[in-house]
Structures are given as structure tokens and as C-alpha cells.
Amino acid sequence: MSWFTNAMSSTIGKKVLMALTGLFLITFLIVHLSGNLQLLADDGGKSFNIYAKFMTTNPFIKTTSYLLYTTFIVHIVWAVLLTVMNRSSRPVGYAVNPGNVSSSWSSRNMGILGTIILIFLVIHLKNFWYEMHWGDIPTATYEGEVYNDLYAVVDFAFGNILYVLLYTVSMLALMFHLYHGFKSAFQTLGLNHPKYTPMIKTVGYAIAIIIPALFACIPIIMYLK
């Protein structure tokens, strides 16, 4: 396993792992969004609560969630390590920063964007994931079956304008993070090709815009209601 250890300790190895974990997290975002959109169903939270119970009781989903937690941690830790390695390899700043010409704003500020997303993630997990597992959750009954009323928890949180603003700003940061991260992941994995690169960029633009925009719409709509 020494070859694996050596590969993962190198800059290229860390970038490959960042790319793979990033693409996996994008898949999670799509699944998570499809479930969260049920918050907008006009049924008093029934659809969302049924979905939430399935996601928290299905054995396959519960097992996959541990992989998800690990992926989040690896992605964050490797991002920090890469940032430290890049700075240590260039301890003296350039007299003139050429990044404005050769790279996008999002690529030059991935650290800041990632930090904003991390802060949001910690608050988000405290408000929802922690409450779901250890909080005093009200219940709702549908067709004789009792469900945790997680919709009520979400509805309460999205009644706070400060949280709605934090959520919206964080989704804006996520948009720029995805914009750079998606196409960068394919480049890191060596999957760029003149025939497919334009399609990869188009899909990347769509993901970067649509996913954060739909996520941001949920708290805004619920707050206005």
C-alpha cells in the first residue's frame, strides 16, 4: 500500500481525491435538493415528513450517509492541506498578480468560498441534523402512522430572516464554488477532450446555477408564505 500512501501524500494525489469527493458531493446535492423541494408542496409538510422518515430509516441510505460524512471531512481536510502546500511552495507573493488574467475570480477565491460554505454547514447541521437526532421534535400523523414533524422544524428556522439571508448568501458562495470545482474536477482527472470539454463546461454552468438557485428559493418562498 506504499504506492497509495505516496500518491495520496503528493499534490496530484490530493487533487485527484478532491475531484472525486467533490463530484460525489455534487451527486449528494442533487439528491438532497430533490427531497428539499418537497418542502414547497402545499400539503402542510406531509410529503417532506414522509420523505425524511424514509431517508432516516432506510438501511441503504443510513449506510450511505456514513460515506457522505467521511467524504465531507476528506474534502475539507484535503482542501486545507492543498491550500497550505500551495502557499508554502510560494512563500513570497508576486509583485504583480497574474491571476486576474489567467484564472477566474472563483478559482482564486476557492478558500474564501469554501470557508463560507463550511460556516453555513456547521450552522445548518446544528439547526437540522442535530435537532433531528437529539432535539425535541413534534410529531405528525398521516393515515394512522406517526412521523417526526421535521417540516415544522424547517418552517420555524426559515421564519428567521437572518437565517434566510445566511442561507441565500451561502448558496451564492456555493454557486461560485461549483462553477470552478466541477470543470476543475474533470481537468484534474484528465477527462478533458476537445470534443467533450464544451459539454462539460455547459453542464458545469447549469449545475452551478440551477442547484444553488433552487436551494435558495426554498427558504425565501417559505419565509414569504
Side-chain angles (χ1 to χ4, degrees), residues 19 25 46 48 51 61 72 78 83 86-87 89-90 92-93 97 99 103 111 115 120 134 150 179 186 188-189 211 221:
L25 291 175
K46 178 180 178 180
F48 180 75
Y51 156 80
I61 300 298
F72 266 118
W78 254 239
T83 300
N86 289 338
R87 289 182 177 176
S89 66
R90 193 176 62 221
V92 180
N97 185 359
S103 61
T115 301
F120 164 77
W134 296 287
L150 295 174
Y179 168 74
F186 282 89
T188 298
L189 296 173
I211 292 179
I221 292 173

Side-chain angles (χ1 to χ4, degrees), residues 30-39 48 51:
I30 295 172
V31 175
H32 191 48
L33 175 62
S34 66
N36 280 14
L37 286 173
Q38 296 181 65
L39 287 164
F48 180 75
Y51 156 80

Side-chain angles (χ1 to χ4, degrees), residues 102-115:
S102 60
S103 61
S104 65
W105 180 88
S106 57
S107 68
R108 298 192 304 274
N109 293 277
M110 286 294 277
I112 296 174
L113 296 171
T115 301

Side-chain angles (χ1 to χ4, degrees), residues 37-218:
L37 286 173
Q38 296 181 65
L39 287 164
L40 302 181
D42 190 18
D43 59 3
K46 178 180 178 180
S47 297
F48 180 75
N49 286 334
I50 292 175
Y51 156 80
K53 183 171 184 176
F54 170 78
M55 295 296 287
T56 53
T57 57
N58 182 278
F60 175 76
I61 300 298
K62 290 179 69 175
T63 302
T64 305
S65 67
Y66 293 110
L67 174 61
L68 175 65
Y69 303 148
T70 302
T71 304
F72 266 118
I73 294 171
V74 170
H75 193 75
I76 293 169
V77 170
W78 254 239
V80 173
L81 289 176
L82 278 172
T83 300
V84 172
M85 290 174 67
N86 289 338
R87 289 182 177 176
S88 62
S89 66
R90 193 176 62 221
V92 180
Y94 294 118
V96 177
N97 185 359
N100 293 329
V101 177
S102 60
S103 61
S104 65
W105 180 88
S106 57
S107 68
R108 298 192 304 274
N109 293 277
M110 286 294 277
I112 296 174
L113 296 171
T115 301
I116 294 173
I117 296 169
L118 178 60
I119 293 171
F120 164 77
L121 184 62
V122 171
I123 296 173
H124 190 63
L125 288 174
K126 167 61 177 67
N127 286 346
F128 298 112
W129 184 83
Y130 179 86
E131 290 297 322
M132 180 178 68
H133 286 82
W134 296 287
D136 185 15
I137 306 295
T139 59
T141 303
Y142 310 115
E143 301 173 1
E145 187 171 354
V146 178
Y147 295 81
N148 286 332
D149 194 359
L150 295 174
Y151 175 85
V153 177
V154 176
D155 189 48
F156 176 79
F158 289 161
N160 185 336
I161 184 61
L162 293 179
Y163 189 76
V164 173
L165 290 174
L166 170 65
Y167 200 110
T168 305
V169 171
S170 299
M171 291 306 103
L172 184 62
L174 178 63
M175 179 185 72
F176 286 106
H177 195 78
L178 291 175
Y179 168 74
H180 173 71
F182 185 83
K183 61 180 182 180
S184 179
F186 282 89
Q187 183 176 355
T188 298
L189 296 173
L191 299 178
N192 277 357
H193 187 279
K195 184 177 180 179
Y196 305 116
T197 297
M199 182 182 67
I200 292 173
K201 288 184 177 180
T202 300
V203 173
Y205 291 145
I207 287 175
I209 294 173
I210 295 174
I211 292 179
L214 290 177
F215 267 119
C217 284
I218 295 172

